[in-house]
Amino acid sequence: MAANPIVCGIAIEFERNVYSDVESIYGFTPYVTRLSGEFRHMDLGMITDSFEWEWYTKPAQTGKACWVSPFRDSSVDHVIASYTIPVYTSGKLFAVMAVDIDTESFSSKCDEISPYPGASVTMIDDRSRFISHPDSSYLMKRVYDINETEELTIDKDTQDKMELGQPGRAIIRWNDEEMLLYFAPIERTDWMVTIRCPEHEVFGGVKRMKNVTTRIAVLSILVMILSLLLIFRNVQSAVITKARIENELKVAAEIQLDMLPKGYSDSPDCETVDVFGFQKSAKSVGGDLYDYFIRDGKLFFCLGDVSGKGVPAALYMAVILSLFRNITNGCENPDEIVGSINNTMEERNASNMFCTLFVGVLDLATGHMTYCNAGHNAPMVKRAGKERDVRFAKVNVNLAIGVLSRFAYKGEEMQLHPGDMVLLYTDGVTEAEDRNKNLFGDEAALAAFADATRNTSTDSKKCMESIYDALTAHTSGAEQNDDITVLASAFKGRGEI
């Protein structure tokens, strides 16, 4: 008890024939309780018949350890939950031990996990009584007796599920306010945990977004009607506008290409790695991205694929590239880099777009590479000196960027040796279709990488060209339906292989 503050009492009820020489009225039941922070010892056998209490009868009859129905301790006015354990010797029941837990500790834990300011997390025992509640006046009252002081409307199906210990959810009314109720059984007990939350706190943001979306949609329709009228009135103006848009898209495409790295400085570190990237958009501008640069003896690189195509995806891509550059100024940990990008994009993601992203950092002195994969395709790795040793790298299952704020991204690491090559790519490669809608596929991409690296050593550009030739042969002139982006990094070590 001294080592476990949440334990407020321990009792042992010995069988009647175990300590027959002890002078107790109802048997020998040593008990230690914690009152006002001090331990108190007594023999319950002198004041009560514990053989008739549930904490003794239930484990004695079932032969199993179990929780029993909580009770209110009048001496401290707290609700106590007891865990009981039968003790056997030579196959016979020797004693029953009970450990008392003050449920105030449950209440503090429930308060910690409350998901919304107006939410209420409670625990209910096998008799539908509150054993943990933010308002202590509810303790040991049955859920369905609340109507005596407050108005509660809960359907019978929900009551049946709760009484049967089944998980579920429902909409209830509490004092004329609609509430969402979630409930689930607590493992190894007959108790349940419930979360009650005002509906407006959960769905208020969604409803506001719906209203904004509706207004935007109405405004868009009005703008479209006005545009059509202008087109009908002046065809020449429409032609001029079309030409202007095409010119702007062309300029946007040039700007987007200029954002991608063309190479790196003449630093001595450049002799240890060969990097080459390639991108071909399905439209004028695309949502694929890649970037790399060398700083402080390390190669920082990334490759991603934004949901959707066209201008929105291109803008989203530009923001992520800017964040990648800014965040890596003060951070070299890929999972922290990805986490920071994700938090920023999720907070400002009214369009509900997302991006799969791979971020890596390669130490050019040692070949040690750390990386984090946010829902992207697993990269391919070619090991030096082994013609067919190509494989997909191991990646953790992480969410894409922009899906969930504060997601805990998990990174990984691998050791590269001189002559090893890592290939990153978007699904525009593996999902490229021929005229019969057949995909290029993972295995074909892996085989193309193996063929490309058979004779190219550490030449990333030649490797890239070979893979693109294989992809072109597969599509056989079919229309490109997705952006294609590939980034190859060959680690050469100190000196050419």
Side-chain angles (χ1 to χ4, degrees):
M1 290 178 64
N4 295 277
I6 66 172
V7 176
C8 61
I10 297 178
I12 303 178
E13 174 65 74
F14 291 99
E15 287 297 278
R16 297 185 189 277
N17 58 347
V18 174
Y19 289 103
S20 56
D21 56 331
V22 177
E23 295 183 0
S24 292
I25 300 175
Y26 301 107
F28 183 43
T29 314
Y31 176 56
V32 179
T33 183
R34 188 197 309 264
L35 293 174
S36 302
E38 298 181 357
F39 294 119
R40 178 183 174 186
H41 302 253
M42 66 181 72
D43 180 6
L44 294 180
M46 298 296 294
I47 58 177
T48 183
D49 188 357
S50 299
F51 292 105
E52 296 182 357
W53 286 72
E54 185 187 15
W55 72 264
Y56 170 82
T57 59
K58 189 172 181 179
Q61 292 171 0
T62 62
K64 297 179 180 179
C66 60
W67 290 92
V68 296
S69 298
F71 63 95
R72 185 183 293 275
D73 188 336
S74 58
S75 61
V76 291
D77 196 29
H78 286 185
V79 176
I80 306 299
S82 297
Y83 187 72
T84 62
I85 307 168
V87 182
Y88 289 86
T89 179
S90 301
K92 294 183 179 180
L93 184 64
F94 177 77
V96 172
M97 179 177 180
V99 178
D100 294 341
I101 307 294
D102 191 335
T103 60
E104 279 196 343
S105 61
F106 299 165
S107 298
S108 61
K109 291 296 181 183
C110 289
D111 291 341
E112 291 176 7
I113 64 173
S114 181
Y116 295 96
S120 175
V121 183
T122 64
M123 291 173 59
I124 301 172
D125 69 3
D126 57 336
R127 300 178 185 177
S128 301
R129 301 176 302 179
F130 288 111
I131 58 174
S132 172
H133 195 285
D135 185 346
S136 60
S137 66
Y138 284 91
L139 295 179
M140 299 307 288
K141 292 183 180 179
R142 293 184 77 250
V143 175
Y144 314 115
D145 294 337
I146 293 176
N147 282 319
E148 297 177 0
T149 55
E150 301 187 44
E151 294 184 7
L152 170 66
T153 303
I154 182 169
D155 62 270
K156 189 176 185 306
D157 288 342
T158 300
Q159 292 186 36
D160 293 341
K161 278 188 176 181
M162 294 179 69
E163 290 177 355
L164 292 173
Q166 298 175 351
R169 60 183 179 177
I171 297 178
I172 65 174
R173 294 194 66 83
W174 190 300
N175 292 336
D176 292 329
E177 183 178 11
E178 282 201 345
M179 298 276 187
L180 294 178
L181 176 67
Y182 295 85
F183 50 92
I186 302 174
E187 188 178 358
R188 296 191 297 274
T189 72
D190 293 326
W191 307 341
M192 300 199 76
V193 62
T194 72
I195 300 177
R196 173 174 54 84
C197 184
E199 186 183 31
H200 67 83
E201 290 195 16
V202 180
F203 295 114
V206 176
K207 291 181 179 178
R208 288 191 296 272
M209 184 179 295
K210 182 180 178 181
N211 292 335
V212 172
T213 303
T214 301
R215 293 171 185 171
I216 292 174
V218 171
L219 179 61
S220 299
I221 292 173
L222 293 175
V223 171
M224 182 179 66
I225 293 173
L226 179 61
S227 299
L228 288 174
L229 291 174
L230 292 175
I231 290 173
F232 289 141
R233 289 179 181 182
N234 195 336
V235 175
Q236 184 179 3
S237 177
V239 172
I240 294 173
T241 301
K242 181 176 181 294
R244 177 175 57 82
I245 292 174
E246 290 178 347
N247 183 63
E248 290 178 353
L249 286 175
K250 180 180 178 180
V251 173
E254 293 174 354
I255 293 174
Q256 187 178 36
L257 289 176
D258 287 340
M259 295 178 65
L260 301 177
K262 302 296 188 297
Y264 31 80
S265 66
D266 296 328
S267 166
D269 290 321
C270 300
E271 299 178 358
T272 63
V273 66
D274 181 74
V275 187
F276 187 80
F278 170 81
Q279 183 181 88
K280 184 179 180 183
S281 300
K283 294 186 177 182
S284 299
V285 290
D288 282 4
L289 62 98
Y290 72 86
D291 193 9
Y292 59 85
F293 60 88
I294 294 176
R295 187 183 67 236
D296 299 331
K298 293 182 174 63
L299 172 67
F300 295 77
F301 59 99
C302 71
L303 183 141
D305 185 358
V306 178
S307 61
K309 303 178 181 66
V311 174
L315 293 174
Y316 201 91
M317 161 262 197
V319 174
I320 290 181
L321 283 179
S322 177
L323 287 172
F324 174 72
R325 286 275 178 163
N326 290 334
I327 293 172
T328 51
N329 280 332
C331 180
E332 298 182 355
N333 190 327
D335 50 349
E336 292 181 6
I337 295 171
V338 172
S340 296
I341 294 175
N342 173 68
N343 293 338
T344 301
M345 297 306 294
E346 198 279 336
E347 290 173 359
R348 306 175 182 178
N349 192 15
S351 58
N352 291 324
M353 298 181 71
F354 63 90
C355 173
T356 63
L357 184 66
F358 184 97
V359 172
V361 178
L362 173 62
D363 190 324
L364 301 180
T366 64
H368 181 255
M369 187 177 97
T370 55
Y371 59 94
C372 181
N373 185 67
H376 198 73
N377 305 75
M380 302 178 195
V381 180
K382 164 67 169 61
R383 295 298 185 179
K386 297 182 180 180
E387 183 177 346
R388 283 290 178 179
D389 186 6
V390 293
R391 66 188 67 179
F392 291 104
K394 176 186 176 184
V395 292
N396 278 321
V397 180
N398 290 316
L399 288 179
I401 297 295
V403 175
L404 180 64
S405 179
R406 306 301 171 188
F407 180 79
Y409 287 90
K410 296 181 180 179
E412 297 180 82
E413 58 184 348
M414 70 169 69
Q415 180 63 43
L416 297 184
H417 303 283
D420 289 350
M421 183 180 291
V422 177
L423 186 78
L424 306 179
Y425 56 94
T426 60
D427 57 11
V429 174
T430 54
E431 296 179 5
E433 297 178 345
D434 62 13
R435 295 182 182 274
N436 297 320
K437 303 297 183 181
N438 296 314
L439 301 181
F440 190 52
D442 291 341
E443 295 305 320
L446 198 65
F449 182 43
D451 292 338
T453 54
R454 180 177 291 111
N455 299 314
T456 57
S457 183
T458 56
D459 194 326
S460 297
K461 183 176 181 180
K462 288 183 179 179
C463 171
M464 195 82 64
E465 291 171 345
S466 177
I467 292 174
Y468 187 71
D469 288 343
L471 194 62
T472 302
H474 170 78
T475 56
S476 302
E479 182 180 357
Q480 182 180 342
N481 57 12
D482 198 1
D483 301 335
I484 295 174
T485 304
V486 186
L487 179 65
S489 305
F491 179 62
K492 298 188 291 186
R494 296 299 179 182
E496 188 69 38
I497 302 302

